[in-house]
Amino acid sequence: MPKLIEHGHYANHPELMKGLSPRDIRRLRQNFVAPQISAAAAREVLGEEELPKPAFNHDSSWLFTLKATTVGDIAEFSFVSKKINIDINLALGQFVRYWDWASTFTAQINQIDSGRLEVEVQSFGSDSERSHFMLCQEKYHTAMLLNLFKGKLKEISSLLTLAKAQLATDVRFAENHVLAHRNTVGQLDMYTLQERLPGPLHRTSDTSYSPSKGNVPMLDFLNTFTHYTYWRTNNAAVINGFHYVGCTIFYSLIVDKNYKWHAGYYGGRISDFEKEHRCNSLCTRMGMKQPARS
């Protein structure tokens, strides 16, 4: 059975990559992260408003993938579309994960040449197109920052415990897309689509920045990553509220002073981070200091 991920890298699935340049395809196979674009420029472009997307009709289901290119020093982001044949297991009680306002269901993409590709889709309380595309943009930006953070950790790997050094290699953000699915009455329902993630769900709080209890390397890693996003954006944004399976993050929340992202939040809670965060040894080894209260 083909999978989206093989040994930590993206497999060759043309149906998910049609429309991308050969250069972008090579990068997607290596890691789910944009080309080397300024994180500040990406935050401005991705957080400001919904990106342009191709027109699509209701005669089929459509998969949308975020594409990034550079023209000189300018970052250009857009969505590319692909018709898709997909079956979603929407039977009552068949969701694989549920929290608050989102349900996750298993699904299968029917491929002409290579059988059925196992994925999962998430149905959110808001069925609007904008919220789903903005969520995809938010995840893309988080994946960019996560990649930069991991690079910094690898630079100081000799100072880390074996467990935390391994996380710098293993933790990643799940590949994700927007799905417009044609239902039985000919209308399009909106979902996010991502790789199948078997295993128990773990979450961190999206309202508290207090340090975790006990010595849990993954929680220390995520706590430090939140601090890194605060530092990287010059104290203008933080990322927290992580949902993950194993070492794969598939959801998080950006709180930003300047941009609303998908949830429409402004930065009122950044002051909570400054008040509640306590630097751990990983923060210190990265050279980050305890945030000053604003």
Side-chain angles (χ1 to χ4, degrees):
M1 180 69 67
K3 298 181 179 179
L4 285 175
I5 298 296
E6 291 183 357
H7 308 298
H9 298 283
Y10 287 93
N12 180 16
H13 290 291
E15 76 285 347
L16 297 182
M17 296 184 179
K18 185 177 180 181
L20 298 181
S21 69
R23 183 183 182 189
D24 286 335
I25 290 174
R26 287 194 299 271
R27 280 172 168 155
L28 279 172
R29 287 174 182 164
Q30 293 170 358
N31 203 345
F32 177 57
V33 69
Q36 295 302 310
I37 297 169
S38 162
R43 173 170 163 258
E44 179 180 355
V45 173
L46 297 175
E48 180 68 31
E49 58 186 14
E50 181 186 345
L51 294 173
K53 59 181 181 294
F56 59 98
N57 54 40
H58 288 206
D59 67 350
S60 180
S61 297
W62 294 85
L63 188 72
F64 298 87
T65 302
L66 184 55
K67 173 184 176 182
T69 58
T70 54
V71 179
D73 295 329
I74 300 175
E76 293 186 354
F77 296 87
S78 61
F79 284 97
V80 295
S81 61
K82 164 74 175 177
K83 280 189 177 183
I84 187 173
N85 185 337
I86 185 170
D87 296 321
I88 303 176
N89 303 319
L90 292 175
L92 183 64
Q94 293 301 307
F95 52 80
V96 294
R97 285 187 296 275
Y98 176 81
W99 78 95
D100 295 340
W101 43 271
S103 301
T104 302
F105 301 90
T106 59
Q108 299 81 33
I109 298 175
N110 301 306
Q111 305 170 106
I112 296 176
D113 298 328
S114 52
R116 292 162 69 86
L117 178 63
E118 300 293 328
V119 295
E120 59 187 43
V121 299
Q122 292 177 325
S123 172
F124 294 91
S126 170
D127 196 41
S128 72
E129 287 183 21
R130 183 186 186 280
S131 65
H132 286 77
F133 283 97
M134 287 300 295
L135 179 58
C136 188
Q137 292 171 208
E138 179 168 330
K139 290 182 176 184
Y140 198 92
H141 181 54
T142 301
M144 290 182 65
L145 290 178
L146 179 63
N147 196 59
L148 292 171
F149 173 65
K150 290 168 57 178
K152 290 294 184 182
L153 289 181
K154 290 176 182 178
E155 291 176 5
I156 59 168
S157 59
S158 62
L159 303 177
L160 306 180
T161 65
L162 181 61
K164 290 178 181 176
Q166 189 63 44
L167 288 174
T169 297
D170 293 346
V171 176
R172 62 184 180 85
F173 209 98
E175 177 185 3
N176 72 95
H177 310 264
V178 177
L179 172 67
H181 180 245
R182 187 176 188 273
N183 60 29
T184 55
V185 295
Q187 297 177 334
L188 292 180
D189 296 324
M190 301 303 299
Y191 298 90
T192 63
L193 182 147
Q194 65 189 27
E195 63 195 73
R196 181 72 62 85
L197 296 175
L201 168 67
H202 301 278
R203 291 181 288 175
T204 66
S205 175
D206 61 2
T207 59
S208 172
Y209 300 92
S210 299
S212 59
K213 296 180 180 179
N215 182 20
V216 183
M218 183 64 169
L219 294 180
D220 285 347
F221 178 97
L222 294 174
N223 187 41
T224 306
F225 177 51
T226 295
H227 190 174
Y228 175 81
T229 61
Y230 173 81
W231 170 81
R232 185 81 195 192
T233 59
N234 294 320
N235 311 346
V238 292
I239 301 177
N240 70 333
F242 301 101
H243 293 203
Y244 58 99
V245 173
C247 289
T248 303
I249 303 168
F250 65 91
Y251 179 81
S252 59
L253 176 69
I254 299 180
V255 178
D256 198 312
K257 289 181 178 179
N258 304 113
Y259 305 109
K260 292 184 178 182
W261 297 97
H262 90 281
Y265 293 143
Y266 278 112
R269 294 206 304 256
I270 292 179
S271 60
D272 293 338
F273 167 78
E274 295 167 338
K275 178 176 65 176
E276 297 176 7
H277 176 78
R278 296 295 179 269
C279 285
N280 56 37
S281 60
L282 200 52
C283 296
T284 303
R285 288 187 172 92
M286 290 191 67
M288 297 187 297
K289 298 180 180 180
Q290 182 68 30
R293 297 186 183 184
S294 57

